[in-house]
Amino acid sequence: MGARPPAPVGHPASPSPHPTREDDPPAALRAALAAHPLVNLTGPLGSGKSWLAARLPDADVTDLSGPDPRATLHAALDAPGDPRRLLVLDGLDGADAQAAASALATPAARPPRPLLLLTRRPLLAHPAWMHTAPATVPLPQWSDDRLGRLPAAAGLHDPRARRLATGMAGGNPLVATAVCRALHAGTPPDTPGAVADQVAGELLHRLAAEAPGRHWHRSLFLLATLGAGDEVLLRGGPEAFDTLAALSIVSRDPLGLTVDEPFRHVIELAHQWRRPGPHRSARKRALTYRAGQLARTADHRTREELTLQGLFLSGVPELRDTIFPPSRPAAAVTAAVPGDADAIGRLMRRWADHGGLDARRTDRLVERWLGSDVSGFHLVRDRDSRLAGLAWLPRVERRTVGAVEPLLQQHTEPLLTEQPDDPGGLFLGAAYCPDPALHAHLLRYILRQAMTRPTRLLVSTPSPAYQRLLNGLRFQAHGAIRDDVYRCGRRPLVFSHDFAGDDMTHWLTRLAPLVPDPADGPPGPSPIGEIADALAHVRDPGRLAHSPLLGTPRTPTPQALGTWLADAVQALADSDDPTDAEAGWILRHYYFGPPRTHQQLAGRLHLSRATYFRRLRHGLTLLGDHLHQP
């Protein structure tokens, strides 16, 4: 990443200018210290552990991050004092400090006083502490309101500073205060990449205790850009991979290593600002690699992970901002039970107020939804098990179709044609979560539910924000329903996407048409991707207005492009050449006919998957050739 200036040391997150209950030690920590002689307070880099420990009453704090942690520890243990006072050991994240403190894993070696050890990862992740069973207390992330007070405390009163600090911090006070320092240094708040570059410098400086040297910096920036990376994508070999894996801000997931939020977001912003070309190339290369994996993978769980990774890499702004924000708080989503009905009613009233919907009309619809199947509501609970959001996501079947019909109306018949194995898929009628990070968690949960089975996902929504998101996700738009059912001045629009048989690689191709074709997979790059994207939105003039195909003499307007596509596909289907006619039949039925999956159409033609996609690509290639002929 190039040379960086030395970062300042010892900038603990500042409290709010007027102390609040949030500034007190968490109740879980107070209870653990009262009940256990050995307590481990854990939290990510910069989460405020040191700042909190310095304010504990009757505590002596020793920092082991210096050059001789073993001698420092012995001096602290031998110092005379009240045995009832708490001994706090900080700075335990470097290898030398960990080795020095591991002597305390043996009960006989501990002093006769309570111990509090501060670590970025739990002590139980280290072999020496496996059988010691310390009381582990995770430090929760800061709320946006609390973080928002830091710019004012730092002398920054520009509202843009508050928005930038809270948005980039993702609940981490070190990141928020580092943003404030960058702004004080003269970096303008409307250049988040430049701000992130200075913040990233501070993060790297603090991580040096875990991995001295700079040989891993470039790999970390690459990993943050990719979102998830295995040895093939990271290209550094086993040693570089292992170095990254050992960092406290890096975790393992099904697709390789990942950088924890909000650090990933900050580091990628800095990479994009410093090296925009390599940043873009790395993302394109990773998307191609993941698309190839997806085309070769049959396991549903792996396909689910690869598809979400593809969405992340696609670079579509609506998806990044809404589905992959820089904060990832702990949350659980579970199906509702009858005892949740009152809480659901209250939260749905807030949903109606938030969306400008008529409260009485919404109440009647919610009563109908609850009566059809209360488990169709999926509830979001935060780390403290408080109800934080919900989605009405019932499976469409005979007992729920009556509740679904008011939100589909004239679209009910064509969209809910019953199939023996799946009568209608999943239906999303409402989703509400005031916290943006938990809202993103809920959206990823909804997509996972549709992909895990897999099944078709139907959506009816009056929300312009959701409509933009669904267009960004390239869901098929079916138009508005007849009635303004929520009496809000907006008729809900209906969308769908079939996860059951549609090849996920094809979906990712429509999202990011620069993905090249995997072997025997669906179509990918331009001009094939441009033709496929236009066909996918042939009934949507607004989307066709942004098609690069409008530059040809045959297609000067969106209406002309839609007409040309329909005529060209029909002419291909009427061809005397059997291969061309088969390709035209596929294009006509997939893009112009009733919703069908590639799997269903291949079955009707008695074609193998590989042959089917070869025909599909052949048809798209012919359309591209015909469009550009003089």
Side-chain angles (χ1 to χ4, degrees):
M1 289 302 298
R4 291 184 177 277
V9 180
H11 289 276
S14 303
S16 58
H18 304 290
T20 67
R21 293 183 62 184
E22 286 183 311
D23 298 319
D24 296 332
L29 177 59
R30 297 197 302 270
L33 290 172
H36 300 277
L38 177 63
V39 177
N40 178 207
L41 179 66
T42 72
L45 167 70
S47 56
K49 300 182 295 297
S50 301
W51 175 83
L52 179 61
R55 286 154 180 79
L56 290 172
D58 301 319
D60 300 318
V61 180
T62 296
D63 187 356
L64 300 185
S65 62
D68 193 349
R70 196 175 301 274
T72 304
L73 176 60
H74 284 312
L77 295 177
D78 295 339
D82 187 344
R84 292 172 298 181
R85 286 179 63 85
L86 176 69
L87 176 59
V88 181
L89 299 181
D90 197 359
L92 298 181
D93 300 296
D96 292 340
Q98 291 173 13
S102 64
L104 299 177
T106 303
R110 294 176 202 156
R113 61 189 298 189
L115 282 174
L116 174 63
L117 279 63
L118 312 184
T119 58
R120 294 170 186 169
R121 280 182 170 166
L123 284 175
L124 291 174
H126 301 285
W129 295 90
M130 275 298 296
H131 304 292
T132 58
T136 303
V137 179
L139 189 61
Q141 66 182 31
W142 285 28
S143 67
D144 283 353
D145 287 341
R146 190 182 185 191
L147 287 170
R149 295 195 290 268
L150 293 178
L156 293 167
H157 302 286
D158 186 340
R160 293 178 300 172
R162 175 191 172 105
R163 290 194 297 270
L164 185 60
T166 55
M168 194 174 291
N172 187 282
L174 168 64
V175 174
T177 52
V179 168
C180 295
R181 285 191 286 275
L183 296 176
H184 272 304
T187 308
D190 56 355
T191 55
V195 173
D197 186 62
Q198 181 165 331
V199 177
E202 294 199 26
L203 296 178
L204 293 175
H205 184 85
R206 293 189 175 227
L207 287 169
E210 301 179 25
R214 301 171 53 85
H215 61 284
W216 49 270
H217 287 193
R218 190 177 295 276
S219 295
L220 180 65
F221 277 77
L222 176 59
L223 177 58
T225 297
L226 302 181
D230 54 22
E231 276 194 26
V232 175
L233 281 174
L234 295 177
R235 293 181 168 179
E239 182 177 355
F241 189 87
D242 292 341
T243 299
L244 290 182
L247 294 175
S248 64
I249 66 169
V250 174
S251 301
R252 290 173 168 86
D253 84 350
L255 299 183
L257 301 180
T258 64
V259 181
D260 300 334
E261 298 289 0
F263 311 111
R264 189 216 61 77
H265 174 70
V266 171
I267 295 171
E268 187 194 6
L269 272 179
H271 186 202
Q272 187 175 17
W273 179 78
R274 281 201 172 205
R275 309 182 75 208
H279 171 271
R280 184 170 54 253
S281 298
R283 198 172 62 191
K284 288 168 58 178
R285 177 172 63 88
L287 185 54
T288 299
Y289 177 68
R290 296 305 190 189
Q293 286 183 306
L294 185 58
R296 297 187 298 270
T297 301
D299 177 72
H300 284 313
R301 174 67 193 281
T302 304
R303 291 176 63 80
E304 175 185 315
E305 297 293 340
L306 288 168
T307 302
L308 286 175
Q309 182 67 11
L311 296 182
F312 170 83
L313 290 166
S314 68
V316 179
E318 305 97 309
L319 307 189
R320 278 294 188 96
D321 297 343
T322 307
I323 303 180
F324 304 101
S327 180
R328 302 286 177 90
V333 185
T334 57
V337 297
D340 295 318
D342 289 342
I344 290 172
R346 291 191 294 270
L347 199 55
M348 289 299 293
R349 177 62 69 93
R350 291 175 60 190
W351 173 70
D353 292 342
H354 174 77
L357 314 181
D358 181 81
R360 291 185 179 180
R361 179 64 173 169
T362 302
D363 285 345
R364 288 196 292 271
L365 286 170
V366 171
E367 289 177 6
R368 189 169 183 176
W369 300 349
L370 288 167
S372 67
D373 180 15
V374 68
S375 66
F377 280 94
H378 297 247
L379 308 183
V380 183
R381 299 191 184 276
D382 62 17
R383 182 192 297 271
D384 299 318
S385 299
R386 294 173 299 198
L387 183 61
L390 54 72
W392 186 49
L393 189 67
R395 177 159 288 281
V396 181
E397 50 195 14
R398 294 187 185 280
R399 61 175 175 162
T400 60
V401 70
V404 167
E405 191 278 333
L407 299 186
L408 289 179
Q409 295 187 5
Q410 76 271 22
H411 302 289
T412 304
E413 182 73 21
L415 289 179
L416 298 187
T417 302
E418 293 198 4
Q419 302 293 331
D421 55 343
D422 187 357
L426 290 173
F427 179 81
L428 179 61
Y432 176 63
C433 206
D435 182 275
L438 293 176
H439 178 242
H441 182 88
L442 177 62
L443 293 177
R444 294 193 299 272
Y445 170 85
I446 291 168
L447 289 173
R448 286 182 184 277
Q449 291 298 299
M451 290 188 288
T452 298
R453 307 227 179 209
T455 188
R456 179 170 49 174
L457 178 61
L458 307 172
V459 186
S460 177
T461 176
S463 165
Y466 268 102
Q467 292 164 9
R468 289 192 296 271
L469 176 63
L470 291 163
N471 280 321
L473 285 168
R474 301 294 196 264
F475 273 44
Q476 184 176 352
H478 300 282
I481 64 176
R482 286 189 298 264
D483 302 327
D484 177 7
V485 294
Y486 295 109
R487 307 294 186 262
C488 63
R490 304 185 306 273
R491 293 181 296 162
L493 299 183
V494 177
F495 298 82
S496 72
H497 184 75
D498 193 346
F499 292 91
D502 192 6
D503 192 290
M504 296 298 184
T505 316
H506 190 199
W507 184 38
L508 294 181
T509 299
R510 297 199 301 271
L511 287 170
L514 293 177
V515 181
D517 294 352
D520 293 329
S526 304
I528 292 179
E530 294 170 357
I531 294 287
D533 185 68
L535 285 169
H537 301 94
V538 70
R539 298 183 178 90
D540 184 356
R543 183 56 65 86
L544 290 182
H546 300 286
S547 173
L549 302 180
L550 292 179
T552 72
R554 289 187 173 86
T555 56
T557 66
Q559 292 77 13
L561 175 58
T563 300
W564 183 87
L565 287 169
D567 292 344
V569 167
Q570 185 61 53
L572 195 61
D574 294 336
S575 171
D576 293 332
D577 184 295
T579 300
D580 292 357
E582 209 164 50
W585 187 94
I586 291 171
L587 295 175
R588 181 161 56 88
H589 282 76
Y590 184 71
Y591 291 107
F592 294 91
R596 292 289 188 273
T597 69
H598 290 303
Q599 181 177 326
Q600 291 169 334
L601 293 177
R604 289 189 61 180
L605 286 175
H606 304 289
L607 297 177
S608 69
R609 179 179 178 277
T611 301
Y612 172 86
F613 281 116
R614 279 196 294 271
R615 295 287 188 275
L616 177 60
R617 281 197 301 274
H618 176 69
L620 294 172
T621 301
L622 288 177
L623 292 187
D625 293 343
H626 293 163
L627 180 62
H628 293 93
Q629 284 177 354

